[in-house]
Coordinates of all heavy atoms in Angstrom, one line a residue:
M5 N 0.8 -1.2 0.0 CA 0.0 0.0 0.0 C 0.9 1.2 0.0 O 1.9 1.3 0.7 CB -0.9 0.0 1.2 CG -2.1 0.9 1.1 SD -2.9 0.6 -0.5 CE -4.5 1.2 -0.1
L6 N 0.5 2.2 -0.8 CA 1.2 3.5 -0.9 C 1.1 4.3 0.4 O 0.0 4.5 0.9 CB 0.7 4.3 -2.1 CG 1.6 5.3 -2.7 CD1 2.6 4.6 -3.6 CD2 0.8 6.3 -3.5
M7 N 2.2 4.8 0.9 CA 2.2 5.7 2.1 C 2.3 7.1 1.6 O 2.6 7.5 0.5 CB 3.4 5.4 3.0 CG 3.5 3.9 3.4 SD 2.1 3.3 4.3 CE 2.5 4.0 5.9
C8 N 2.0 8.0 2.6 CA 2.0 9.5 2.2 C 3.3 9.9 1.7 O 3.5 10.6 0.8 CB 1.6 10.3 3.5 SG -0.1 10.1 4.0
R9 N 4.4 9.4 2.4 CA 5.7 9.8 1.9 C 6.1 9.3 0.5 O 6.8 9.9 -0.2 CB 6.8 9.5 3.0 CG 6.9 8.0 3.2 CD 8.2 7.6 3.9 NE 8.3 6.2 4.1 CZ 8.6 5.7 5.3 NH1 8.9 6.4 6.4 NH2 8.6 4.4 5.4
D10 N 5.5 8.0 0.2 CA 5.7 7.5 -1.1 C 5.0 8.4 -2.2 O 5.5 8.6 -3.2 CB 5.1 6.1 -1.2 CG 5.9 5.1 -0.3 OD1 7.1 5.3 -0.1 OD2 5.2 4.2 0.2
L11 N 3.8 8.8 -1.8 CA 3.1 9.6 -2.7 C 3.8 10.9 -3.0 O 3.9 11.4 -4.1 CB 1.7 9.9 -2.1 CG 0.7 10.6 -3.1 CD1 -0.6 10.0 -3.0 CD2 0.6 12.1 -2.8
A12 N 4.4 11.5 -1.9 CA 5.1 12.8 -2.1 C 6.3 12.6 -3.2 O 6.6 13.6 -3.9 CB 5.7 13.3 -0.8
V13 N 6.9 11.4 -3.2 CA 8.0 11.2 -4.1 C 7.5 11.2 -5.5 O 8.1 11.7 -6.4 CB 8.7 9.9 -3.8 CG1 9.7 9.5 -4.8 CG2 9.4 10.0 -2.4
V14 N 6.4 10.5 -5.8 CA 5.9 10.4 -7.2 C 4.9 11.4 -7.6 O 4.3 11.4 -8.7 CB 5.2 9.0 -7.4 CG1 6.3 7.9 -7.1 CG2 4.0 8.8 -6.5
A15 N 4.6 12.4 -6.6 CA 3.5 13.4 -6.9 C 3.7 14.1 -8.2 O 2.7 14.2 -9.0 CB 3.4 14.4 -5.7
S16 N 4.9 14.6 -8.5 CA 5.0 15.4 -9.7 C 4.9 14.6 -10.9 O 4.3 15.0 -11.9 CB 6.3 16.1 -9.7 OG 7.4 15.3 -9.7
D17 N 5.3 13.3 -10.9 CA 5.1 12.4 -12.0 C 3.7 12.1 -12.2 O 3.2 12.0 -13.3 CB 5.9 11.1 -11.8 CG 7.4 11.3 -12.0 OD1 7.8 12.3 -12.6 OD2 8.1 10.4 -11.5
Y18 N 2.9 11.9 -11.1 CA 1.5 11.7 -11.2 C 0.8 12.9 -11.8 O -0.1 12.6 -12.7 CB 1.0 11.5 -9.7 CG -0.6 11.4 -9.7 CD1 -1.2 10.3 -10.2 CD2 -1.3 12.5 -9.2 CE1 -2.6 10.2 -10.1 CE2 -2.7 12.4 -9.2 CZ -3.3 11.3 -9.6 OH -4.7 11.3 -9.6
I19 N 1.1 14.1 -11.5 CA 0.5 15.2 -12.1 C 0.8 15.3 -13.6 O 0.0 15.7 -14.4 CB 1.0 16.5 -11.3 CG1 0.3 16.5 -9.9 CG2 0.6 17.8 -12.1 CD1 0.9 17.6 -9.0
D20 N 2.1 15.0 -13.9 CA 2.4 15.1 -15.3 C 1.9 13.9 -16.1 O 2.1 13.8 -17.3 CB 4.0 15.0 -15.5 CG 4.6 16.4 -15.0 OD1 3.8 17.4 -14.9 OD2 5.8 16.4 -14.7
G21 N 1.3 12.9 -15.4 CA 0.7 11.7 -16.1 C 1.8 10.8 -16.5 O 1.6 10.0 -17.5
E22 N 2.9 10.8 -15.8 CA 4.0 9.9 -16.2 C 4.1 8.6 -15.5 O 5.1 7.9 -15.7 CB 5.3 10.7 -16.1 CG 5.5 11.8 -17.2 CD 6.7 12.7 -17.0 OE1 7.4 12.4 -16.0 OE2 6.9 13.6 -17.8
L23 N 3.2 8.4 -14.6 CA 3.2 7.1 -13.8 C 2.7 6.0 -14.6 O 1.7 6.1 -15.5 CB 2.4 7.3 -12.5 CG 3.0 8.2 -11.4 CD1 2.2 8.1 -10.2 CD2 4.4 7.8 -11.1
A24 N 3.2 4.8 -14.4 CA 2.7 3.6 -15.0 C 1.3 3.3 -14.4 O 1.0 3.7 -13.3 CB 3.6 2.4 -14.8
G25 N 0.5 2.6 -15.2 CA -0.9 2.3 -14.8 C -1.1 1.9 -13.4 O -2.0 2.5 -12.7
L26 N -0.3 0.9 -12.9 CA -0.5 0.4 -11.6 C -0.2 1.4 -10.5 O -0.9 1.6 -9.5 CB 0.3 -0.9 -11.4 CG 0.0 -1.8 -10.2 CD1 -1.4 -2.4 -10.5 CD2 1.0 -2.9 -10.1
Q27 N 1.0 2.1 -10.7 CA 1.4 3.1 -9.8 C 0.4 4.2 -9.7 O 0.0 4.8 -8.7 CB 2.8 3.6 -10.2 CG 3.6 4.1 -9.0 CD 5.0 4.4 -9.4 OE1 5.3 4.4 -10.6 NE2 5.9 4.6 -8.5
N28 N -0.1 4.6 -10.9 CA -1.1 5.7 -11.0 C -2.3 5.3 -10.3 O -2.9 6.1 -9.6 CB -1.4 5.9 -12.5 CG -2.1 7.1 -12.8 OD1 -1.7 8.2 -12.3 ND2 -3.2 7.1 -13.5
L29 N -2.7 4.0 -10.4 CA -3.9 3.6 -9.7 C -3.7 3.6 -8.2 O -4.6 4.0 -7.4 CB -4.2 2.2 -10.1 CG -5.6 1.6 -9.7 CD1 -6.7 2.3 -10.5 CD2 -5.7 0.1 -10.0
S30 N -2.5 3.2 -7.7 CA -2.3 3.2 -6.2 C -2.3 4.6 -5.7 O -2.7 4.9 -4.6 CB -1.1 2.4 -5.8 OG 0.0 2.8 -6.6
V31 N -1.8 5.6 -6.5 CA -1.8 7.0 -6.1 C -3.3 7.4 -6.0 O -3.7 8.1 -5.0 CB -1.1 7.9 -7.0 CG1 -1.3 9.3 -6.7 CG2 0.4 7.6 -7.0
K32 N -4.1 7.1 -7.0 CA -5.5 7.5 -6.9 C -6.2 6.9 -5.7 O -7.0 7.6 -5.1 CB -6.1 7.0 -8.3 CG -6.0 8.0 -9.4 CD -6.7 7.5 -10.6 CE -6.6 8.5 -11.8 NZ -7.1 8.0 -13.0
M33 N -5.9 5.6 -5.5 CA -6.5 5.0 -4.3 C -6.2 5.7 -3.0 O -7.0 5.9 -2.1 CB -6.2 3.5 -4.3 CG -7.1 2.7 -5.3 SD -6.6 1.0 -5.3 CE -7.0 0.4 -3.7
H34 N -4.9 6.0 -2.9 CA -4.4 6.7 -1.7 C -5.1 8.1 -1.6 O -5.6 8.5 -0.5 CB -2.9 6.9 -1.8 CG -2.4 7.6 -0.5 ND1 -1.8 6.8 0.5 CD2 -2.3 8.8 -0.1 CE1 -1.4 7.6 1.5 NE2 -1.7 8.9 1.1
L35 N -5.3 8.8 -2.7 CA -5.9 10.1 -2.6 C -7.4 10.0 -2.3 O -7.9 10.9 -1.6 CB -5.8 10.7 -4.1 CG -4.4 11.2 -4.4 CD1 -4.4 11.8 -5.9 CD2 -3.9 12.2 -3.5
M36 N -8.0 8.9 -2.6 CA -9.4 8.7 -2.2 C -9.5 8.6 -0.7 O -10.5 9.1 -0.1 CB -10.0 7.4 -2.9 CG -10.6 7.7 -4.2 SD -11.5 6.2 -4.8 CE -10.3 5.6 -5.9
M37 N -8.5 8.0 -0.1 CA -8.6 7.8 1.4 C -8.0 8.9 2.2 O -8.3 9.1 3.3 CB -7.9 6.5 1.7 CG -8.5 5.2 1.1 SD -7.6 3.7 1.5 CE -5.9 4.1 0.9
C38 N -7.0 9.6 1.6 CA -6.2 10.5 2.4 C -6.4 12.0 2.0 O -6.0 12.4 0.9 CB -4.7 10.1 2.2 SG -3.7 11.2 3.2
R39 N -7.1 12.7 2.8 CA -7.4 14.1 2.5 C -6.2 15.0 2.5 O -6.1 15.9 1.7 CB -8.4 14.7 3.5 CG -9.1 15.8 3.0 CD -9.8 16.7 4.0 NE -10.5 15.9 5.0 CZ -11.1 16.4 6.1 NH1 -11.0 17.7 6.3 NH2 -11.8 15.6 6.9
D40 N -5.2 14.7 3.4 CA -4.0 15.4 3.4 C -3.3 15.4 2.0 O -2.8 16.4 1.5 CB -3.0 14.9 4.5 CG -3.4 15.3 5.9 OD1 -4.3 16.2 5.9 OD2 -2.9 14.7 6.8
C41 N -3.2 14.2 1.5 CA -2.5 14.0 0.2 C -3.3 14.7 -0.9 O -2.8 15.2 -1.9 CB -2.2 12.6 -0.1 SG -0.8 12.0 0.9
R42 N -4.6 14.7 -0.8 CA -5.5 15.3 -1.8 C -5.1 16.9 -1.8 O -5.0 17.5 -2.9 CB -6.9 15.2 -1.5 CG -7.6 13.9 -2.1 CD -9.0 14.1 -2.3 NE -9.8 14.3 -1.1 CZ -10.2 13.4 -0.3 NH1 -10.0 12.1 -0.6 NH2 -10.9 13.7 0.8
T43 N -5.0 17.4 -0.6 CA -4.6 18.9 -0.5 C -3.2 19.1 -1.1 O -3.0 20.0 -1.8 CB -4.7 19.3 0.9 OG1 -5.9 18.9 1.5 CG2 -4.4 20.8 1.1
F44 N -2.3 18.1 -0.8 CA -0.9 18.3 -1.2 C -0.9 18.2 -2.7 O -0.2 19.1 -3.4 CB -0.1 17.1 -0.6 CG 1.3 17.0 -1.2 CD1 2.2 18.0 -0.8 CD2 1.6 16.0 -2.0 CE1 3.5 17.9 -1.4 CE2 2.9 15.9 -2.5 CZ 3.8 16.8 -2.2
I45 N -1.6 17.3 -3.3 CA -1.6 17.1 -4.8 C -2.2 18.4 -5.5 O -1.7 18.9 -6.4 CB -2.3 15.9 -5.2 CG1 -1.5 14.6 -4.9 CG2 -2.7 15.9 -6.7 CD1 -0.4 14.3 -5.9
G46 N -3.3 18.8 -4.8 CA -4.0 20.0 -5.3 C -3.1 21.2 -5.4 O -3.0 21.9 -6.4
N47 N -2.3 21.4 -4.3 CA -1.4 22.6 -4.2 C -0.3 22.4 -5.2 O 0.1 23.4 -5.9 CB -0.8 22.7 -2.8 CG -1.8 23.1 -1.8 OD1 -2.8 23.8 -2.2 ND2 -1.5 22.9 -0.5
L48 N 0.2 21.2 -5.3 CA 1.4 20.9 -6.3 C 0.9 21.1 -7.7 O 1.6 21.7 -8.5 CB 1.8 19.5 -6.0 CG 3.2 19.2 -6.7 CD1 4.3 20.0 -6.0 CD2 3.5 17.7 -6.6
R49 N -0.3 20.6 -8.0 CA -0.9 20.8 -9.4 C -1.0 22.3 -9.7 O -0.6 22.7 -10.8 CB -2.2 20.1 -9.5 CG -2.8 20.2 -10.8 CD -4.0 19.3 -11.0 NE -3.7 18.0 -11.3 CZ -4.4 16.9 -11.0 NH1 -5.6 17.1 -10.4 NH2 -4.1 15.7 -11.4
A50 N -1.5 23.1 -8.7 CA -1.6 24.5 -8.9 C -0.3 25.2 -9.2 O -0.2 25.9 -10.2 CB -2.3 25.2 -7.7
S51 N 0.8 24.8 -8.5 CA 2.1 25.4 -8.7 C 2.7 24.9 -10.0 O 3.4 25.6 -10.7 CB 3.0 25.3 -7.5 OG 3.1 23.9 -7.2
T52 N 2.4 23.6 -10.3 CA 3.0 23.1 -11.6 C 2.4 23.8 -12.8 O 3.1 24.2 -13.7 CB 2.6 21.6 -11.7 OG1 3.2 20.9 -10.6 CG2 3.2 21.0 -13.0
E53 N 1.1 24.1 -12.7 CA 0.4 24.8 -13.8 C 0.9 26.3 -13.9 O 1.0 26.8 -15.0 CB -1.1 24.8 -13.6 CG -1.7 23.5 -14.2 CD -3.1 23.3 -13.7 OE1 -3.7 24.2 -13.2 OE2 -3.6 22.1 -13.8
L54 N 1.2 26.8 -12.7 CA 1.8 28.2 -12.7 C 3.1 28.2 -13.4 O 3.5 29.0 -14.2 CB 2.0 28.6 -11.3 CG 1.9 30.1 -11.0 CD1 0.5 30.6 -11.3 CD2 2.3 30.4 -9.6
M55 N 4.0 27.1 -13.1 CA 5.3 27.0 -13.8 C 5.2 26.9 -15.3 O 5.9 27.4 -16.0 CB 6.0 25.9 -13.1 CG 6.8 26.3 -11.9 SD 7.5 24.9 -11.0 CE 8.5 24.1 -12.3
K56 N 4.2 26.0 -15.7 CA 4.0 25.8 -17.1 C 3.6 27.1 -17.8 O 4.0 27.4 -18.9 CB 2.9 24.7 -17.3 CG 3.4 23.4 -17.2 CD 2.4 22.3 -17.5 CE 3.0 20.9 -17.2 NZ 1.9 19.9 -17.1
A57 N 2.7 27.9 -17.1 CA 2.3 29.2 -17.6 C 3.5 30.1 -17.8 O 3.6 30.8 -18.8 CB 1.3 29.8 -16.8
H58 N 4.4 30.0 -16.8 CA 5.6 30.8 -16.9 C 6.6 30.4 -18.0 O 7.2 31.2 -18.6 CB 6.4 30.7 -15.5 CG 6.0 31.8 -14.6 ND1 6.4 33.1 -14.7 CD2 5.1 31.8 -13.6 CE1 5.8 33.8 -13.7 NE2 5.0 33.1 -13.0
S59 N 6.6 29.1 -18.2 CA 7.5 28.6 -19.2 C 7.1 29.0 -20.6 O 7.9 29.1 -21.5 CB 7.7 27.1 -19.2 OG 6.6 26.5 -19.7
S60 N 5.8 29.4 -20.8 CA 5.4 29.9 -22.1 C 5.9 31.3 -22.4 O 5.7 31.8 -23.4 CB 3.8 29.8 -22.2 OG 3.3 30.8 -21.4
I61 N 6.5 31.9 -21.4 CA 7.1 33.2 -21.6 C 8.3 33.1 -22.5 O 8.6 34.1 -23.2 CB 7.4 33.9 -20.2 CG1 6.1 34.3 -19.5 CG2 8.4 35.1 -20.4 CD1 6.4 34.7 -18.1
R62 N 9.0 32.0 -22.4 CA 10.3 31.8 -23.1 C 10.2 32.2 -24.6 O 11.1 33.0 -25.0 CB 10.8 30.4 -23.0 CG 12.2 30.4 -22.5 CD 12.8 29.0 -22.4 NE 12.3 28.3 -21.2 CZ 12.2 27.0 -21.0 NH1 12.6 26.2 -22.0 NH2 11.9 26.5 -19.9
P63 N 9.3 31.8 -25.4 CA 9.3 32.3 -26.8 C 9.2 33.7 -27.0 O 9.8 34.3 -27.8 CB 8.1 31.6 -27.4 CG 7.7 30.5 -26.5 CD 8.3 30.8 -25.2
D64 N 8.4 34.4 -26.0 CA 8.3 35.8 -26.1 C 9.7 36.5 -25.8 O 10.0 37.5 -26.5 CB 7.4 36.3 -25.0 CG 5.9 36.2 -25.4 OD1 5.7 36.0 -26.6 OD2 5.0 36.3 -24.6
E65 N 10.4 35.9 -24.9 CA 11.8 36.5 -24.6 C 12.6 36.4 -25.9 O 13.4 37.3 -26.2 CB 12.4 35.7 -23.5 CG 11.9 36.2 -22.1 CD 12.6 35.5 -20.9 OE1 13.3 34.5 -21.2 OE2 12.3 35.9 -19.8
E66 N 12.6 35.2 -26.6 CA 13.3 35.0 -27.8 C 12.9 36.1 -28.8 O 13.7 36.7 -29.5 CB 13.1 33.6 -28.3 CG 13.8 33.3 -29.6 CD 15.3 33.3 -29.4 OE1 15.8 33.0 -28.3 OE2 16.0 33.6 -30.4
F67 N 11.6 36.3 -28.9 CA 11.1 37.2 -29.9 C 11.6 38.7 -29.6 O 12.0 39.4 -30.4 CB 9.5 37.2 -29.8 CG 8.8 38.1 -30.7 CD1 8.9 37.9 -32.1 CD2 8.0 39.1 -30.3 CE1 8.3 38.8 -33.0 CE2 7.3 39.9 -31.1 CZ 7.5 39.8 -32.5
M68 N 11.5 39.0 -28.3 CA 12.0 40.3 -27.9 C 13.5 40.5 -28.2 O 13.9 41.6 -28.6 CB 11.7 40.5 -26.4 CG 10.3 40.7 -26.0 SD 9.4 42.0 -26.8 CE 10.1 43.4 -25.9
R69 N 14.2 39.4 -28.0 CA 15.7 39.5 -28.2 C 16.0 39.8 -29.7 O 16.8 40.6 -30.1 CB 16.3 38.2 -27.8 CG 17.8 38.3 -27.8 CD 18.5 37.0 -27.3 NE 18.0 36.6 -26.0 CZ 18.2 35.4 -25.5 NH1 18.8 34.5 -26.1 NH2 17.7 35.1 -24.3
R70 N 15.2 39.1 -30.5 CA 15.3 39.3 -32.0 C 15.0 40.8 -32.4 O 15.7 41.4 -33.2 CB 14.4 38.4 -32.8 CG 15.1 37.0 -32.8 CD 14.3 36.1 -33.7 NE 14.8 34.7 -33.5 CZ 14.4 33.7 -34.2 NH1 13.5 33.9 -35.1 NH2 14.9 32.5 -34.0
I71 N 14.0 41.3 -31.7 CA 13.6 42.7 -32.0 C 14.8 43.6 -31.6 O 15.1 44.6 -32.3 CB 12.3 43.1 -31.3 CG1 11.1 42.4 -32.0 CG2 12.1 44.6 -31.2 CD1 9.8 42.7 -31.4
D72 N 15.3 43.3 -30.4 CA 16.4 44.1 -29.9 C 17.6 44.1 -30.9 O 18.2 45.1 -31.2 CB 17.0 43.5 -28.6 CG 16.2 44.1 -27.4 OD1 15.3 45.0 -27.6 OD2 16.4 43.6 -26.3
E73 N 17.8 42.9 -31.5 CA 19.0 42.8 -32.4 C 18.6 43.7 -33.7 O 19.5 44.4 -34.2 CB 19.1 41.3 -32.8 CG 20.0 40.6 -31.8 CD 20.0 39.1 -32.1 OE1 19.5 38.7 -33.2 OE2 20.5 38.3 -31.2
R74 N 17.4 43.6 -34.1 CA 17.0 44.4 -35.3 C 17.2 45.9 -35.0 O 17.6 46.6 -35.9 CB 15.6 44.0 -35.7 CG 15.4 42.7 -36.3 CD 14.5 42.7 -37.4 NE 14.6 41.6 -38.3 CZ 13.9 41.4 -39.3 NH1 12.9 42.2 -39.7 NH2 14.0 40.3 -40.1
V75 N 16.7 46.3 -33.9 CA 16.8 47.7 -33.5 C 18.3 48.1 -33.5 O 18.6 49.2 -34.0 CB 16.1 48.0 -32.2 CG1 16.4 49.4 -31.6 CG2 14.6 47.8 -32.3
A76 N 19.1 47.3 -32.9 CA 20.5 47.6 -32.8 C 21.1 47.7 -34.2 O 21.9 48.6 -34.5 CB 21.2 46.6 -32.0
E77 N 20.7 46.8 -35.1 CA 21.2 46.8 -36.4 C 20.8 48.1 -37.2 O 21.5 48.8 -37.9 CB 20.8 45.6 -37.2 CG 21.8 44.5 -37.0 CD 21.2 43.2 -37.6 OE1 20.6 43.3 -38.7 OE2 21.5 42.1 -37.1
A78 N 19.5 48.4 -37.0 CA 18.9 49.6 -37.6 C 19.6 50.9 -37.2 O 20.0 51.7 -37.9 CB 17.4 49.7 -37.3
L79 N 19.9 50.9 -35.9 CA 20.6 52.2 -35.3 C 22.0 52.3 -35.9 O 22.5 53.3 -36.2 CB 20.6 52.1 -33.8 CG 19.3 52.4 -33.1 CD1 19.5 52.1 -31.6 CD2 18.9 53.8 -33.3
K80 N 22.6 51.1 -36.0 CA 24.0 51.1 -36.5 C 24.0 51.6 -38.0 O 24.8 52.4 -38.4 CB 24.6 49.6 -36.4 CG 26.0 49.6 -36.0 CD 26.4 48.3 -35.5 CE 26.9 47.4 -36.6 NZ 27.3 46.0 -36.1
A81 N 23.1 51.1 -38.8 CA 23.0 51.5 -40.2 C 22.7 53.0 -40.3 O 23.3 53.6 -41.1 CB 21.8 50.7 -40.8
R82 N 21.9 53.5 -39.4 CA 21.6 54.9 -39.4 C 22.8 55.8 -39.2 O 23.0 56.7 -39.8 CB 20.6 55.3 -38.3 CG 19.1 55.2 -38.8 CD 18.2 55.9 -37.8 NE 17.0 56.4 -38.5 CZ 16.1 57.1 -37.9 NH1 16.3 57.5 -36.6 NH2 15.0 57.5 -38.5
K83 N 23.6 55.3 -38.2 CA 24.8 56.0 -37.8 C 25.7 56.1 -39.0 O 26.3 57.1 -39.3 CB 25.5 55.4 -36.6 CG 25.0 55.9 -35.2 CD 25.8 55.3 -34.1 CE 25.2 55.7 -32.8 NZ 25.8 54.9 -31.7
E84 N 25.8 54.9 -39.7 CA 26.8 54.9 -40.8 C 26.3 55.8 -41.9 O 27.0 56.4 -42.6 CB 26.9 53.4 -41.3 CG 27.8 52.6 -40.4 CD 27.7 51.1 -40.6 OE1 27.0 50.7 -41.5 OE2 28.3 50.4 -39.8
D85 N 24.9 55.8 -42.1 CA 24.4 56.7 -43.1 C 24.7 58.2 -42.8 O 25.1 58.9 -43.7 CB 22.9 56.5 -43.2 CG 22.5 55.3 -44.0 OD1 23.4 54.8 -44.7 OD2 21.3 55.0 -44.1
S86 N 24.4 58.6 -41.6 CA 24.6 60.0 -41.2 C 26.0 60.4 -41.3 O 26.3 61.6 -41.3 CB 24.0 60.3 -39.8 OG 24.7 59.6 -38.9
G87 N 26.9 59.4 -41.3 CA 28.4 59.7 -41.4 C 28.7 60.4 -42.7 O 29.4 61.4 -42.7
D88 N 28.0 60.0 -43.8 CA 28.2 60.7 -45.1 C 27.4 62.0 -45.2 O 26.3 62.0 -45.8 CB 27.9 59.8 -46.3 CG 28.8 58.5 -46.2 OD1 29.9 58.6 -45.8 OD2 28.3 57.5 -46.6
G89 N 27.8 63.0 -44.7 CA 26.9 64.2 -44.6 C 26.6 64.7 -45.9 O 26.7 65.6 -46.6
Ligands
ZN4 ZN1 -1.6 10.4 2.3

């Protein structure tokens, strides 16, 4: 039978859906019986979803970096242009 501390170890895998069928089932059964672990999983799931939402920022950062590069290039080109008065 799965214990609370065992559940804590596999909790993040359970949330990601990465547990094998049998292990997944024993986690579910434990959660049915144990309110503490239900709360624990609930909190962990909330923070995991928050992290996932944060990780979607990454493409934006890449996008912004490219814009920065373009702006820098444009400024450089301008300076070179204005050199020939
Ligand atoms: Zn428990």
Side-chain angles (χ1 to χ4, degrees):
M5 201 47 159
L6 203 78
M7 307 298 283
C8 291
R9 61 163 181 228
D10 298 327
L11 191 135
V13 172
V14 298
S16 64
D17 286 343
Y18 171 73
I19 287 171
D20 291 342
E22 286 174 3
L23 289 184
L26 196 68
Q27 208 173 11
N28 196 47
L29 193 71
S30 48
V31 170
K32 274 185 180 169
M33 281 173 67
H34 184 98
L35 290 177
M36 269 190 260
M37 297 180 301
C38 181
R39 202 199 310 176
D40 285 347
C41 284
R42 273 206 300 273
T43 306
F44 172 71
I45 288 279
N47 290 339
L48 194 67
R49 181 173 275 153
S51 55
T52 302
E53 275 166 17
L54 208 69
M55 272 168 60
K56 277 181 186 166
H58 269 282
S59 75
S60 71
I61 286 170
R62 231 182 279 158
D64 278 347
E65 277 179 355
E66 180 64 29
F67 183 62
M68 291 302 284
R69 192 178 304 165
R70 283 186 188 184
I71 288 182
D72 275 354
E73 278 172 10
R74 287 221 162 178
V75 169
E77 274 175 32
L79 284 175
K80 221 161 88 179
R82 266 196 159 187
K83 270 187 191 168
E84 279 165 10
D85 276 353
S86 66
D88 300 329

